[in-house]
């Protein structure tokens, strides 16, 4: 089995490469990544020299490049993680999101259609469903919820999902989609809530909480997302969508306070700042469909957050490498005037 993992130098894609080398030691992995600000080769250092792993730098939206790669490599399966992923950046600069997330997915689907016999899995997000009210804890996202994205990011992911499903219906392409809730764990870029707050707390800087901090996310440790995708590739029903989530709903304020407590820092570091435009209130996943396939998440939130905080403390070299000038400018532009 030879798989293409796109976006494999990013957070979840890299964790997936490590996970799959252990779970399927005979499979060959080709990892393709554009190495945007969010992708880093240092993240894949542990796979250097592995005869079952290779890395290619490239853009999923570059049709000539992708077609040549498919012609040379003859993949059995494509797992598409590559995307622009930060909601705040999509509010300020939506164009890259349309290009990579929609057009890039289109190019990969076209390559699968052209070369034939390739299984395609799209890594999507629960954000395509929009949000849920805070005062209705009984409501959860199921796979049949309407698609109602709020941000340019989630709209681009929703568009990609629609394309993927249309390639199943129209061309019979063997596709599946997973829609997962918020991930956390090693190698997450420090623009996202958990690694950003760990960084700020360790540096004794203010922790910027949007609005009143009562928005809710459903957190899943990254390895549990990886095991879900592995299972869907092997046992998922073609043409189907699977929600993935671990029933770990927490307010942002709870997350921030947990991090401060674990690091022995005071809550006076919390700084409430101007809210995100269009900020989704609550995400919560009904994962019963994938659980029926046999998926069981392994990491309770308390264990996962402890591992993640420890990883961020122990991997200062990686953090220094990803905190480039682009990142520092982003922090200044985004939070400076908030
Ligand atoms: P990330 O931003 O850490 O990584 C994305 C990777 O994609 C980066 O390495 C980047 O260089 C690469 N990339 C971007 N545009 C590319 C292009 N045009 N061609 C090739 N590579 C490109 O993101 P992540 O958090 O690891 O998310 C991975 C996938 O999982 C995304 O599709 C995202 O929508 C989805 N997802 C993320 C979460 C989450 O909580 N992080 C939850 C559900 C779904
Ligand atoms: O639900 C899955 C999605 O989760 C993925 O599809 C996205 O790629 C991923 O980025 C994530 O989106 P969120 O917007 O939920 O994640 P983020 O870490 O940006 O924010 C989590 C919550 O924390 C959200 O309610 C906004 C809030 N927040 C975030 C940042 C960066 C703050 O209060 N302050 C901040 O500085």
């Amino acid at each position: 089995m030879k798989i293409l993992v796109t976006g494999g130098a990013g957070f979840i894609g890299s964790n997936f490469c490590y996970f799959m080398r252990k779970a399927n030691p005979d499979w060959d992995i080709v990892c393709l990544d554009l190495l945007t600000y969010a992708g880093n080769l240092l993240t894949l250092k542990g796979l250097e020299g592995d005869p079952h792993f290779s890395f290619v730098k490239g853009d999923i939206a570059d049709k000539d490049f992708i077609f040549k790669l498919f012609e040379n490599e003859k993949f059995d399966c494509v797992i598409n993680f590559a995307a622009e992923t930060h909601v705040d950046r999509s509010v300020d600069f939506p164009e890259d999101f349309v290009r990579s997330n929609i057009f890039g997915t289109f190019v990969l689907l076209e390559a699968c259609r052209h070369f034939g016999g390739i299984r395609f899995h799209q890594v999507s997000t629960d954000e395509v469903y929009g949000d849920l009210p805070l005062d209705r804890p009984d409501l959860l996202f199921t796979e049949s919820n309407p698609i109602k994205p709020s941000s340019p990011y989630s709209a681009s992911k929703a568009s990609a999902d629609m394309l993927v499903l249309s390639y199943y219906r129209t061309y019979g392409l063997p596709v599946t989609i997973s829609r997962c809730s918020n991930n956390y764990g090693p190698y997450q870029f420090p623009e996202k809530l958990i690694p950003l707050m760990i960084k700020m707390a360790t540096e004794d800087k203010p922790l910027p909480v949007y609005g009143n901090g009562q928005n809710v996310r459903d957190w899943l440790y990254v390895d549990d997302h990886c095991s879900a995708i592995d299972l869907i590739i092997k046992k998922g029903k073609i043409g189907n969508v699977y929600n993935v989530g671990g029933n770990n709903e927490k307010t942002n304020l709870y997350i921030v306070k947990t991090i401060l407590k674990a690091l022995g820092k005071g809550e006076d570091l919390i700084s409430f700042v101007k809210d995100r435009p269009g900020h989704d209130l609550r995400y919560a996943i009904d994962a019963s469909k994938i659980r029926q396939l046999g998926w069981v998440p392994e990491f309770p939130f308390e264990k996962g957050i402890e591992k993640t905080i420890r990883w961020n403390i122990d991997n200062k070299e990686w953090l220094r490498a990803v905190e480039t000038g682009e990142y520092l400018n982003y922090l200044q532009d985004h939070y400076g005037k908030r």
Side-chain angles (χ1 to χ4, degrees):
M1 185 84 163
K2 188 188 236 186
I3 64 173
L4 172 66
V5 176
T6 69
F11 164 46
I12 309 174
S14 60
N15 277 284
F16 184 73
C17 290
Y18 286 111
F19 179 93
M20 292 299 271
R21 284 299 300 121
K22 282 206 189 116
N24 305 284
D26 302 338
W27 292 19
D28 290 319
I29 300 177
V30 177
C31 169
L32 162 71
D33 200 292
L34 185 57
L35 299 180
T36 68
Y37 78 91
N40 199 303
L41 276 184
L42 197 56
T43 302
L44 294 167
K45 209 171 163 40
L47 291 169
E48 239 174 47
D50 181 334
H52 288 281
F53 179 84
S54 59
F55 177 82
V56 190
K57 183 175 179 204
D59 185 350
I60 57 164
D62 179 342
K63 195 170 176 201
D64 291 343
F65 163 78
I66 289 293
F67 270 59
K68 269 187 209 117
L69 184 73
F70 273 62
E71 188 168 21
N72 292 338
E73 297 283 357
K74 306 200 171 18
F75 300 117
D76 299 298
C77 175
V78 173
I79 302 111
N80 183 26
F81 291 88
E84 289 293 333
T85 61
H86 193 34
V87 173
D88 291 330
R89 291 188 190 243
S90 84
V91 173
D92 294 335
F93 303 103
E95 194 165 327
D96 286 349
F97 289 73
V98 171
R99 185 176 181 280
S100 290
N101 302 5
I102 306 176
F103 191 70
T105 303
F106 162 74
V107 168
L108 292 172
L109 290 167
E110 276 293 279
C112 289
R113 180 162 86 93
H114 180 83
F115 291 98
I118 306 171
R119 176 82 167 75
F120 184 88
H121 181 75
Q122 175 72 356
V123 182
S124 186
T125 168
D126 60 355
E127 295 198 16
V128 302
Y129 299 120
D131 62 356
L132 296 164
L134 291 176
D135 59 356
R136 288 290 307 275
D138 55 310
L139 294 180
L140 304 173
F141 293 137
T142 71
E143 288 81 359
S144 51
N145 265 57
I147 299 298
K148 207 166 164 277
S150 313
S151 68
Y153 162 69
S154 51
S156 69
K157 294 295 291 185
S159 308
D161 282 13
M162 298 296 99
L163 275 173
V164 172
L165 293 174
S166 79
Y167 271 63
Y168 166 66
R169 172 89 186 245
T170 305
Y171 305 113
L173 214 78
V175 307
T176 42
I177 295 178
S178 50
R179 294 187 180 140
C180 190
S181 59
N182 287 61
N183 283 211
Y184 65 104
Y187 301 114
Q188 187 166 31
F189 194 76
E191 65 186 353
K192 307 283 165 58
L193 181 74
I194 289 182
L196 177 72
M197 297 300 162
I198 298 172
K199 170 188 155 61
M200 293 309 203
T202 49
E203 293 175 4
D204 290 309
K205 290 186 178 152
L207 277 60
V209 174
Y210 298 160
N212 60 10
Q214 292 308 312
N215 302 60
V216 169
R217 297 294 183 263
D218 185 353
W219 293 95
L220 187 72
Y221 190 70
V222 63
D223 278 2
D224 286 329
H225 188 183
C226 295
S227 67
I229 296 172
D230 184 29
L231 184 67
I232 295 169
I233 293 169
K234 290 171 182 159
K235 291 196 181 155
K237 197 164 169 231
I238 299 302
N240 273 231
V241 174
Y242 292 89
N243 283 354
V244 183
N247 298 105
N248 278 306
E249 281 185 62
K250 312 280 180 209
T251 64
N252 294 338
L253 204 53
Y254 173 87
I255 298 286
V256 167
K257 286 183 179 175
T258 303
I259 291 169
L260 286 170
K261 191 166 172 212
L263 292 170
K265 306 282 178 172
E267 290 184 8
D268 52 323
L269 282 177
I270 295 174
S271 163
F272 291 97
V273 300
K274 189 165 168 250
D275 210 350
R276 171 186 280 175
H279 198 173
D280 281 337
L281 290 173
R282 171 175 166 252
Y283 305 145
I285 287 277
D286 176 347
S288 41
K289 184 171 172 184
I290 190 166
R291 280 182 180 268
Q292 276 161 25
L293 276 189
W295 178 72
V296 185
E298 217 185 287
F299 296 90
F301 183 74
E302 294 64 33
K303 189 171 165 194
I305 194 75
E306 191 190 310
K307 276 165 76 74
T308 304
I309 294 172
R310 172 100 329 255
W311 188 90
N312 275 273
I313 291 169
D314 291 346
N315 286 273
K316 289 276 176 269
E317 193 199 333
W318 182 87
L319 283 163
R320 267 193 297 276
V322 302
E323 287 171 10
T324 57
E326 192 279 343
Y327 172 70
L328 298 175
N329 289 339
Y330 165 77
L331 287 189
Q332 181 53 35
D333 287 351
H334 186 67
Y335 295 100
K337 292 180 253 53
R338 249 190 151 89

